Amino acid sequence: MPPPAEEPRFSNQFRQDFEALLKWRRDVRRFRTDPLPDGLLDRLLHLADLAPSVGNSQPWRVVVVESPEKRDGVIASFETENEAAAEQYPDDKAARYRQLKLAGLQEAPVHLAIFSDTDPEQGHGLGRVTMPEMLAYSTVSMVHTFWLAARTEGVGVGWVSILDPATVCQILQVDGNWRLVAYLCVGYPEEEHVDPELERARWQARSPLSNRVFHR
């Protein structure tokens, strides 16, 4: 058995930098088309692979979507679902919705489809008998780890949720046990903002933490 690792020491400066990283994480929809440097995506994915997972199952499955035809299919799904979403709102709200930029699918140089295996052999089922959704939660943890790692390199990430999962699975021809968790646009931001885009667009501001903390 290897000896225990030495406990890391994090400085006050590191803690301040970490808080700044969380504030600057932001969902990016406006990307430059510049490609990422060689090797950077692999490095970010290796960092993301350090995320915790239930039963050490590492259920995330990452598809790097490079085919123009497959990207076009995903974009078409977004456009269909985005219009359907707009039609759910009253006319005035629908008009505001259609003015929002909700994805950077056309511009982002990297598309990642992140799936969660619903029945991985790895982990032997530990920790998910009563809560099988822990597999998807583990995959979300990997996505967030990737997001933070990307920002340390000045790379932006946009999470596109206005998609039909079944359509994306069909386009990418993935295993039937895989569940779509996230479709990510990745690249260098066209502009940097510390405040959320939906807040700037006056769609929804953030609310105080006290609204979401309860004591029993």
Side-chain angles (χ1 to χ4, degrees):
M1 176 179 291
E6 183 178 346
E7 179 185 358
R9 304 288 181 180
F10 298 113
S11 66
N12 286 335
Q13 183 61 56
F14 177 88
R15 286 188 282 273
Q16 291 172 19
D17 290 344
F18 182 67
E19 181 177 355
L21 172 62
L22 296 177
K23 289 178 177 177
W24 280 96
R25 178 203 49 78
R26 291 301 131 240
D27 189 84
V28 176
R29 289 91 182 271
R30 304 170 195 277
F31 292 92
R32 305 193 328 243
T33 57
D34 318 38
L36 299 186
D38 289 346
L40 180 55
L41 180 61
D42 285 343
R43 168 175 162 71
L44 297 178
L45 289 173
H46 275 93
L47 290 173
D49 199 49
L50 297 174
S53 60
V54 63
N56 211 19
S57 58
Q58 295 175 285
W60 43 85
R61 307 290 182 258
V62 182
V63 177
V64 184
V65 185
E66 298 172 326
S67 160
E69 293 78 16
K70 288 179 169 47
R71 286 193 183 201
D72 287 346
V74 172
I75 291 169
S77 174
F78 168 79
E79 291 172 348
T80 297
E81 299 304 326
N82 195 43
E83 181 55 30
E87 291 172 357
Q88 302 302 309
Y89 294 105
D91 289 347
D92 57 338
K93 194 79 167 178
R96 288 186 58 202
Y97 177 91
R98 291 187 175 98
Q99 292 175 351
L100 299 172
K101 183 168 176 56
L102 298 176
L105 291 163
Q106 297 281 2
E107 305 87 2
V110 176
H111 287 203
L112 299 179
I114 314 294
F115 297 87
S116 189
D117 192 331
T118 59
D119 190 24
E121 182 178 349
Q122 184 173 326
H124 310 289
L126 190 151
R128 55 186 171 92
V129 173
T130 56
M131 295 183 66
E133 63 271 25
M134 286 299 297
L135 290 166
Y137 297 163
S138 298
T139 301
V140 170
S141 177
M142 174 270 185
V143 170
H144 191 243
T145 304
F146 175 85
W147 209 323
L148 294 180
R151 290 307 288 144
T152 68
E153 299 282 353
V155 174
V157 177
W159 187 328
V160 184
S161 61
I162 308 171
L163 293 168
D164 177 55
T167 299
V168 175
C169 289
Q170 183 178 23
I171 290 169
L172 300 181
Q173 300 176 312
V174 298
D175 189 291
N177 284 331
W178 295 7
R179 170 188 172 189
L180 181 67
V181 169
Y183 196 94
L184 305 179
C185 298
V186 182
Y188 290 108
E190 189 178 81
E191 51 192 36
E192 295 279 7
H193 295 276
V194 73
D195 54 333
E197 174 144 342
L198 292 181
E199 194 167 288
R200 296 196 304 279
R202 302 186 183 279
W203 180 268
Q204 177 64 64
R206 292 180 67 85
S207 58
L209 174 62
S210 57
N211 289 2
R212 295 177 296 281
V213 177
F214 306 90
H215 299 269
R216 297 289 188 266

